[in-house]
Amino acid sequence: MRPNSGLPSTNHRRVACSFRDQSLFQIFQISLTSLSQLKNDVTSRLQELALSLSLKCLSFDFVGTSIDESSEEFGTIQIPSSWRPVLEDPSTLQIFFDYYAITTSPRSKEALECLVRLASVRRSLFTNDAARSKFLAHLMTGTKEILQTGRGLADHDNYHEYCRLLGRFRVNYQLSELVNVEGYSDWIQLVAEFTLKSLQSWQWASSSVYYLLGLWSRLVTSVPYLKGEAPSLLDEFVPKITEGFITSRFNSVQDGFTDDEDPLDNVELLQDQLDCFPYLCRFQYQSSSFYIINTMEPILQSYTERARLQTADNNELAVIEAKLSWIVHIIAAILKIKQSTGCSVESQEVLDAELSARVLQLINVTDSGLHSQVYQQ
């Protein structure tokens, strides 16, 4: 049986390739035509089916990689070159932005999903750099208009899918491409404001923040390769996002939570966020590290005082310890990487030592006084 064990999958792939080459493109065109004709009929069941059909066409496994989308990262979509004229036609992107604007979830979410996939098409699909730049400019304009109006973002599914769409700018486009698009400065400011609001809404947007932090981390790591005169404006916005992240983690502690809601207990989500965040800290490492130290010292002082006096309210102590836990997690994540665009290697090592010293100081406190008694219990 072994020599024939691969035949079913081989035959399946052959059929799938034949379908892709002979029928899929025509089906996608039919879905676009239907969407255009049904745009004014918002109650039409056919409209819903046409959107679903477009999404299924764009979700097709073009190269047989069987990508697991449960990871939320499906890479570059290898759409065939025969699709080029339709993808370069501005009306193709626009129809999905239009449907997002005129429908509600789940249709609006499906329109965003189509845009996520269109934002992920391979670079080589386009005729030239000018065509690709035009496509990118259209994506930036469409996403900017959504941020300006806030339309649909009160719906959680739309919100999450929109964050995924912004995350695709991290994966498929270089910072040098983004800064040269007209309207970049307005776009990056709106994205920064949106990120800060998302961080503040930690309970509602915690699973979506990953894509936003990923976008910013990719942008800052691209700064050394940025050429030309166009400003990136990252110096203005990244420190605010860095501070906003730390503040939002403290707010999550201060506001209180049940065991199911504690972000520190969600290991996977915690890891996702802390994988991206250190790059933002090291972008302007001196100011970021001073902010962390200045934030940590009064908390550590309060913690030390309670250990010395051997008196503390259990709830108050739990809040202080949770804040310190966040800081320790953040410092550990920062020390795992060494990339920095804002200071020398020697300066980095000094700042690493300053942060490490605070953690070691914390260990001395937890091993003494009231806290050692609490842990024994």
Side-chain angles (χ1 to χ4, degrees):
M1 292 295 293
R2 180 169 296 180
N4 296 323
S5 60
L7 287 179
S9 59
T10 302
N11 291 334
H12 173 78
R13 191 62 211 159
R14 188 180 297 115
V15 171
C17 289
S18 177
F19 173 75
R20 177 198 64 194
D21 297 337
Q22 297 179 18
S23 305
L24 186 61
F25 182 43
Q26 287 82 357
I27 295 173
F28 182 59
Q29 289 177 302
I30 291 171
S31 73
L32 293 177
T33 301
S34 300
L35 288 172
S36 180
Q37 294 174 346
L38 296 166
K39 188 186 295 186
N40 296 324
D41 188 3
V42 295
T43 61
S44 174
R45 168 66 174 162
L46 290 175
Q47 185 190 78
E48 182 180 343
L49 293 173
L51 259 180
S52 180
L53 182 60
S54 291
L55 179 57
K56 284 180 169 61
C57 289
L58 293 170
S59 304
F60 185 79
D61 185 6
F62 290 99
V63 293
T65 52
S66 299
I67 298 169
D68 178 15
E69 287 200 31
S70 64
S71 67
E72 299 284 0
E73 288 294 344
F74 49 82
T76 302
I77 294 180
Q78 303 294 324
I79 289 179
S81 298
S82 58
W83 294 43
R84 180 182 293 124
V86 170
L87 269 293
E88 290 185 349
D89 185 342
S91 66
T92 301
L93 270 181
Q94 192 58 44
I95 193 70
F96 297 111
F97 279 118
D98 289 345
Y99 265 84
Y100 174 75
I102 65 176
T103 61
T104 57
S105 191
R107 295 185 199 181
S108 54
K109 175 181 177 289
E110 285 197 332
L112 284 177
E113 287 185 271
C114 290
L115 288 167
V116 169
R117 282 156 176 78
L118 289 171
S120 308
V121 298
R122 59 187 173 91
R123 174 185 293 268
S124 56
L125 175 71
F126 297 93
T127 304
N128 49 41
D129 288 342
R132 177 175 163 84
S133 296
K134 185 178 179 181
F135 185 85
L136 172 59
H138 197 161
L139 276 174
M140 290 180 68
T141 300
T143 52
K144 181 174 70 174
E145 289 175 355
I146 292 173
L147 288 175
Q148 287 172 329
T149 62
R151 185 184 291 112
L153 295 179
D155 179 270
H156 192 273
D157 288 339
N158 285 345
Y159 193 96
H160 183 74
E161 205 62 39
Y162 182 76
C163 289
R164 290 186 69 203
L165 177 57
L166 289 181
R168 297 316 296 177
F169 286 90
R170 162 181 73 108
V171 178
N172 267 34
Y173 301 96
Q174 300 297 323
L175 178 60
S176 57
E177 295 178 284
L178 297 176
V179 298
N180 287 312
V181 173
E182 185 178 356
Y184 166 79
S185 58
D186 291 337
W187 181 80
I188 197 69
Q189 179 176 350
L190 287 167
V191 173
E193 292 170 356
F194 178 72
T195 302
L196 288 171
K197 290 178 182 177
S198 298
L199 290 172
Q200 292 164 8
S201 305
W202 63 271
Q203 282 181 305
W204 195 70
S206 60
S207 60
S208 308
V209 165
Y210 161 74
Y211 301 104
L212 302 177
L213 293 177
L215 168 64
W216 289 100
S217 69
R218 179 65 176 265
L219 293 178
V220 299
T221 54
S222 300
V223 167
Y225 311 103
L226 182 61
K227 298 178 181 179
E229 300 297 325
S232 71
L233 304 179
L234 297 183
D235 288 342
E236 177 181 351
F237 299 121
V238 170
K240 295 177 182 178
I241 293 169
T242 302
E243 295 179 11
F245 178 84
I246 296 172
T247 301
S248 69
R249 302 310 97 180
F250 283 179
N251 289 343
S252 72
V253 172
Q254 201 70 47
D255 292 344
F257 39 74
T258 66
D259 291 339
D260 293 335
E261 294 173 336
D262 186 353
L264 287 168
D265 288 339
N266 190 332
V267 177
E268 184 177 350
L269 184 60
L270 179 66
Q271 189 64 45
D272 284 342
Q273 295 181 3
L274 293 180
D275 277 347
C276 300
F277 182 67
Y279 295 97
L280 307 186
C281 288
R282 287 191 180 271
F283 179 62
Q284 293 186 355
Y285 194 25
Q286 185 168 9
S287 62
S288 296
S289 59
F290 286 172
Y291 179 80
I292 293 171
I293 290 170
N294 291 335
T295 301
M296 182 179 185
E297 284 191 336
I299 302 173
L300 183 58
Q301 183 177 359
S302 175
Y303 195 61
T304 304
E305 186 68 11
R306 282 161 174 74
R308 185 179 65 81
L309 297 176
Q310 299 196 17
T311 58
D313 176 81
N314 287 340
N315 291 333
E316 185 181 11
L317 189 62
V319 169
I320 294 174
E321 289 181 342
K323 289 181 178 181
L324 290 172
S325 296
W326 267 113
I327 292 177
V328 172
H329 275 294
I330 288 169
I331 291 175
I334 294 171
L335 296 179
K336 282 172 61 178
I337 69 167
K338 292 298 180 183
Q339 179 171 347
S340 177
T341 58
C343 57
S344 65
V345 173
E346 291 79 10
S347 298
Q348 279 193 73
E349 291 178 348
V350 171
L351 294 171
D352 287 350
E354 290 281 358
L355 293 174
S356 301
R358 267 63 183 187
V359 177
L360 296 174
Q361 183 181 357
L362 174 61
I363 293 174
N364 291 334
V365 176
T366 59
D367 287 344
S368 62
L370 170 69
H371 308 310
S372 63
Q373 298 174 21
V374 172
Y375 300 139
Q376 288 174 8
Q377 294 173 8

